[in-house]
Amino acid sequence: MEKVELLKNVGKKIQEIRIGKGLTQVDLVGKIQGEIDTTNISRIESGRTNPTIFTLYRIANALEIELKDLIDFK
């Protein structure tokens, strides 16, 4: 899998889970521990940035899912 495709898949997964839980990007930012803003979430969801593993971990915690669920594309 190419980097661009991987980033888009991770972003799409985050967006699907977030929407499935009835959260806006602003809601998600409010649940994430530490400094992050809505612009960063938007860029991550669109695959335009490469988030660190720690950022993905914080997003997973905010979404109340396991980190591995963000990269499971089956």
Side-chain angles (χ1 to χ4, degrees):
M1 182 177 300
E2 295 292 321
K3 178 180 177 179
V4 173
E5 183 181 4
L6 177 62
L7 293 176
K8 285 186 179 195
N9 285 341
V10 169
K12 183 177 177 185
K13 187 76 142 184
I14 291 168
Q15 184 180 48
E16 287 173 355
I17 294 168
R18 175 182 60 76
I19 291 170
K21 292 182 175 274
L23 299 172
T24 65
Q25 288 180 346
V26 173
D27 295 334
L28 178 58
V29 165
K31 294 181 68 150
I32 295 174
Q33 295 177 353
E35 295 286 323
I36 193 165
D37 62 34
T38 309
T39 305
N40 283 343
I41 295 299
S42 176
R43 288 194 331 256
I44 291 168
E45 287 187 357
S46 65
R48 291 180 291 151
T49 192
N50 189 358
T52 65
I53 193 72
F54 185 63
T55 296
L56 291 176
Y57 173 77
R58 293 186 304 150
I59 291 170
N61 280 341
L63 291 171
E64 300 174 347
I65 61 170
E66 297 289 324
L67 177 59
K68 66 180 180 169
D69 295 334
L70 295 180
I71 56 172
D72 185 7
F73 307 123
K74 296 178 184 174

